[in-house]
Amino acid sequence: MSARTNKPHEVVERALELSRADGCVVIADEQSTANLRWAGNALTTNGVTRGRTLTVIATVDGRAGTASGVVSRAAVTADELEPLVRAAEAAARGAGPAEDAQPLVTGVAESPDFTDAPAETSSAVFADFAPALGESFARARAGGRELYGFANHELVSSYLGTSTGLRLRHDQPNGTLELNAKSPDRKRSAWAGRSTRDFKDVDPASLDAELAVRLGWAERRVELPAGRYETLLPPTAVADLLIYQMWSAAARDAAEGRTVFSKPGGGTRLGEKLTELPLTLRSDPNEPGLESAPFVLTHSSGDTASVFDNGLPLAATDWVREGELAHLSTTRHSAGLTGLPVAPTIDNLILDGGADRSLEEMVASTERGLLLTCLWYIREVDPATLLLTGLTRDGVYLVENGQVTGEVNNFRFNESPVDLLGRAVEAGRTEKTLPREWSDWFTRAAMPALRIPDFNMSSVSQGV
Amino acid sequence: MPHEVDQSFLALPLRALADAALARARALGAAHADFRFERVRSAAWRLRDAKPAGSSDTTDLGYAVRVVHGGTWGFASGVDLTMDAAAKVAGQAVAMAKLSAQVIKAAGSDERVELADEPVHAEKTWISSYDIDPFSVPDEEKSGLLADWSSRLLAADGVNHVDASLLTVHENKFYADTAGTVTTQQRVRLHPQLTAVAVDESSGEFDSMRTIAPPVGRGWEYLMGTGWDWESELGRIPELLAEKMRAPSVEAGVYDLVVDPSNLWLTIHESIGHATELDRALGYEAAYAGTSFATFDQLGKLRYGSELMNVTGDRTAEHGLATIGYDDEGVAGQSWDLVKDGTLVGYQLDRRIAKLTGFERSNGCAYADSPGHVPVQRMANVSLQPDPAGMSTEDLIGSVDRGIYVVGDRSWSIDMQRYNFQFTGQRFFRIENGRITGQLRDVAYQATTTDFWGSMAAVGGPGTYVLGGAFNCGKAQPGQVAAVSHGCPSALFKGVNILNTTQEAGR
């Protein structure tokens, strides 16, 4: 809608009033972003954006079942509202019965701020950060370092209304900072990342100082061949691997025999011990510092989401409990198909249950091993084992007798996160971390470092 | 069939908003300003075992203003279709440029943004080549066709599940800048895909076989058989899948590979396409996608591969996914050499990078995937040229004593400087004494880019050439996706390292 017309909650109400379908779900998303990007100690691009999208999900009952039609449009004006609702209804009539059809959700209390104006971010979020970043550039230049990176802040206010009376609202702030330091010849590289809700808790100067130490570690270079090495995976790397595992944990696929969580002979591996360590992999929309939408908010149906579930309250869910596979993700429909409890995906992921040792303490107790910084270009090689390939990046360090003694070349790895959990011999203290590979889609994670006795470095990468 | 730009797009207040934004940017002292209005409609259908499993129809609409002000970039975007709002967005772009200037000042830098010259293209219209706009086809027809194809596959022995999907995009873009270029464009693209899955419940083994039909810059006619033989491909899949389930696991080692265009396009994309983006080579993607081994000082010197290797960047190929009339900086589409006779001779450029590195002109590689994103240097259709006198795929296979014929893409990964890569595929056929003797399973090939292209011993003829590609090439921060095509013939590579993926998994 234009500024002259209605507020988001009013748009939702109006769309619901216009609906002639048997059921209707309306989601209004108001999005604002601000970002800064830099390379070689200089800003390259920047931007502030405003976006507004209205999604109408119409459901139409028929003799063969209920169909759904989903139509989303940006920047809908008042005149375009009715055509959008009609388009969703036409899409439903043309789609045929939806396999995931369920009664629309009812009985969830209205969000108290449903009628409030959307939250917004702007370049003001960088008011303190931007000058500090500029000073870091100057300090890095003087110290013989080049800084590369990206700072992004986003606020999405989502308003969900349904013909069954739900009126829910969620504001999701999402901030990320990635800082990469390189030597001027670009033969040494180090990285650090942070997730933040408001940029008040990130300090580019301290991150730059941390990276300067790492570039110092890299002044001694050690070439190692491919092979299996005792490896310390830092929290960001653990997050990237376990997020992929989470994305591969659809209950229906497992029950159909086509994932790593399928049991030979039929059924799923639920109840199976995945690791001897007392680790719990869980999601909780109310996790402090990692808060995410406390109800299902989905714009399309898929293997782990159903538009019919919109508004369904989300509860804390253990995916792996004390080392044992406890839940696979389900919609109400796939829960019915598989006979498993309803367990929708939640937009954060936490692994805890390890010891209280920091990564530094784990390094100190390492006789000889590799300390990774992060992983990159992770892709699935074999769904049967959930074998993933990818690369180490921005610093692989050799640890000898409890000390970092130099930097090692990068490697390509071939590993399965499920197998890694089974082979991990130590987990450290859980800490909030930014998953580097998946931070475009998933930023809210808390993980421990893991010690893997025999991580498969499949080949050497010349890349730095 | 010739088309016109959608009247519903032209009816939007494109010029009025552009005039308001550009005038405001000028008044605020911008040395350059460009205005881009985009409407991108994307629709997707998913079927699971021939039943609807989710669909969406999303239209992104809005506009962006980019300025060069005080020697720095500023960018902002908005969605309110009033002249006041457009002028306000231009003001926000200038404000962002001023914020950048503060950071640059604090850093003690003297870097300034300058753009390479480009002729003014006034009042130009360009429309991609297609017959039937997929959005003119009723949804029932689309989902009905996918359901029919799925059902045919499901009815075959050994097929337990079928996943089907169709992505369609209709993209309109209006561009105007302070130099006087004004372009209006329209593109259509689509990507159908079907995957058959076999499950041996007793052993727990499963595998899949996917169509290798590429995504294309065509219309609905593609699904009716123009440009691809769907009947033939769908007819073969159950048999291929059944054979794959019975196939022996590959013995890891060194093999000669005949790589089909359905697989080689992706290797080209990762090891040549991204590696010859000059912004990457200069470090502008260093913190995210990475840099490139093909650094600027090696232009004209780097031995990229064998002398048989000729690679072009092309914005003009008919039905190409990265084919355009004018890019998002008002630069006309072009075709040029990237690798000539095995040597690096060119890069992909935008106007800023062109000016920075001494090129007279950008080759038209600036693109934004939505009105909310800034144009970034983006891949053209990067294609390996066939040998005019080259062999057929059958003859390439016939020239191999012990090797593997690789068909279809699946898994892909390459390091941040584009050296070390690993790819899998859909179908791996064992070659013995010049003949195919059945499929293999658990195959991945792993190499270093220049070693791999240096091992190219034969390039197939024009009859083997296929334009492959993808809808989902990711780059930049904030992340953007772009569609891009890669044409290539079949080609023979000598002595490539093959991994057994079950052994890699420690099994």
Side-chain angles (χ1 to χ4, degrees), chain A residues 1-4 35-37 39 41-52 68 70-75 91 94-99 123 130-131 133-135 137-138 141 148-150 152 178 180 182 186 228 252-253 256-259 264-266 299-303 376-377 379-385 387 389-393 410 412 414 419 436 440 456 458-464, chain B residues 46 48-49 51-61 73-82 92 96-97 99-100 102-104 106-109 111 139-140 143 161 163 197 199 201-204 206 270 280-291 372 374 376 410-422 424 442 444 446 448 476-479 499 501-507:
Chain A
M1 307 292 284
S2 75
R4 295 168 300 174
N35 64 74
L36 300 171
R37 195 180 192 204
N41 296 325
L43 280 187
T44 53
T45 53
N46 57 57
V48 288
T49 70
R50 292 286 181 276
R52 182 176 303 137
S68 66
V70 184
V71 179
S72 301
R73 286 185 190 158
E99 206 189 7
S123 59
L133 181 66
E135 288 161 16
F137 292 163
R141 182 177 286 111
Y148 300 78
F150 180 60
N152 187 55
E178 296 186 52
N180 176 211
K182 293 183 187 299
R186 295 195 194 153
R228 288 184 176 268
R252 183 179 180 185
D253 288 340
E256 288 178 346
R258 45 173 164 162
T259 80
H299 300 73
S300 62
S301 289
D303 292 337
W376 185 247
Y377 221 134
R379 294 293 182 273
E380 182 181 282
V381 177
D382 183 1
T385 54
L387 182 71
T389 194
L391 297 129
T392 64
R393 185 170 178 183
N410 278 304
R412 167 171 300 287
N414 278 312
D419 281 349
R436 184 179 189 180
D440 282 355
N456 178 17
S458 177
S459 59
V460 169
S461 156
Q462 295 167 260
V464 176
Chain B
R46 285 179 70 250
R48 193 171 170 132
D49 294 341
K51 296 175 185 169
S55 65
S56 62
D57 181 344
T58 301
T59 301
D60 194 3
L61 181 145
W73 284 123
F75 174 82
S77 74
V79 294
D80 289 323
L81 307 188
T82 67
Q92 289 170 335
M96 287 305 289
L99 179 68
S100 293
Q102 281 179 32
V103 179
I104 289 166
S109 170
E111 192 168 308
D139 288 354
E140 298 94 314
S143 50
H161 300 286
D163 299 321
V197 180
V199 179
E201 204 169 79
S202 59
S203 68
F206 63 92
E270 298 291 358
R280 282 187 71 116
L282 294 174
Y284 289 92
E285 283 282 319
Y288 180 59
T291 58
V374 70
V376 289
R410 190 163 178 171
S411 174
W412 70 100
S413 174
I414 190 165
D415 74 36
M416 52 283 175
Q417 282 192 287
R418 307 279 141 175
Y419 286 113
N420 176 302
F421 61 68
Q422 178 176 309
T424 61
D442 311 324
Q446 204 180 74
T448 296
Q477 289 179 303
L499 306 180
T501 58
T502 57
Q503 290 170 4
E504 287 293 307
R507 302 290 168 97

Side-chain angles (χ1 to χ4, degrees), chain B residues 312-465:
Chain B
T312 57
D314 189 357
R315 286 281 182 190
T316 65
E318 189 176 29
H319 306 306
L321 295 168
T323 299
I324 45 102
Y326 305 88
D327 78 354
D328 289 356
E329 295 185 322
V331 177
Q334 300 157 46
S335 179
W336 68 99
D337 290 329
L338 290 168
V339 178
K340 186 78 177 166
D341 300 329
T343 299
L344 175 72
V345 296
Y347 283 104
Q348 303 164 69
L349 310 166
D350 61 21
R351 291 179 68 178
R352 199 260 170 128
I353 296 296
K355 181 73 174 180
L356 198 64
T357 48
F359 287 92
E360 286 187 4
R361 187 185 178 199
S362 162
N363 46 34
C365 287
Y367 177 76
D369 67 354
S370 75
H373 283 150
V374 70
V376 289
Q377 196 261 283
R378 267 309 196 160
M379 206 180 294
N381 303 303
V382 171
S383 300
L384 175 69
Q385 297 307 304
D387 178 350
M391 287 187 271
S392 65
T393 303
E394 291 71 24
D395 288 343
L396 287 171
I397 291 168
S399 71
V400 172
D401 286 337
R402 177 178 179 270
I404 298 173
Y405 174 42
V406 184
V407 180
D409 65 84
R410 190 163 178 171
S411 174
W412 70 100
S413 174
I414 190 165
D415 74 36
M416 52 283 175
Q417 282 192 287
R418 307 279 141 175
Y419 286 113
N420 176 302
F421 61 68
Q422 178 176 309
F423 292 90
T424 61
Q426 290 294 320
R427 311 161 196 175
F428 294 94
F429 298 93
R430 181 170 49 202
I431 305 170
E432 292 176 321
N433 301 316
R435 296 181 57 229
I436 284 176
T437 57
Q439 286 188 64
L440 295 164
R441 287 182 79 175
D442 311 324
V443 182
Y445 65 96
Q446 204 180 74
T448 296
T449 293
T450 47
D451 292 347
F452 180 78
W453 290 107
S455 76
M456 189 166 68
V459 178
T464 72
Y465 188 87

Side-chain angles (χ1 to χ4, degrees), chain B residues 3 40 85 90 309 312 317 328 371 438 444 463:
Chain B
H3 293 269
V40 184
M309 184 184 186
T312 57
D328 289 356

Side-chain angles (χ1 to χ4, degrees), chain A residues 134-197:
Chain A
E135 288 161 16
S136 292
F137 292 163
R139 197 177 307 108
R141 182 177 286 111
R145 298 183 301 284
E146 292 182 346
L147 295 184
Y148 300 78
F150 180 60
N152 187 55
H153 193 247
E154 176 180 280
L155 255 168
V156 182
S157 292
S158 299
Y159 298 76
L160 169 71
T162 71
S163 54
T164 50
L166 267 52
R167 298 292 184 272
L168 301 173
R169 184 249 180 87
H170 178 69
D171 292 340
Q172 186 65 67
N174 187 32
T176 60
L177 168 63
E178 296 186 52
L179 192 64
N180 176 211
K182 293 183 187 299
S183 58
D185 62 4
R186 295 195 194 153
K187 290 183 176 173
R188 292 175 289 140
S189 186
W191 177 88
R194 297 285 186 273
S195 64
T196 175
R197 290 172 72 85

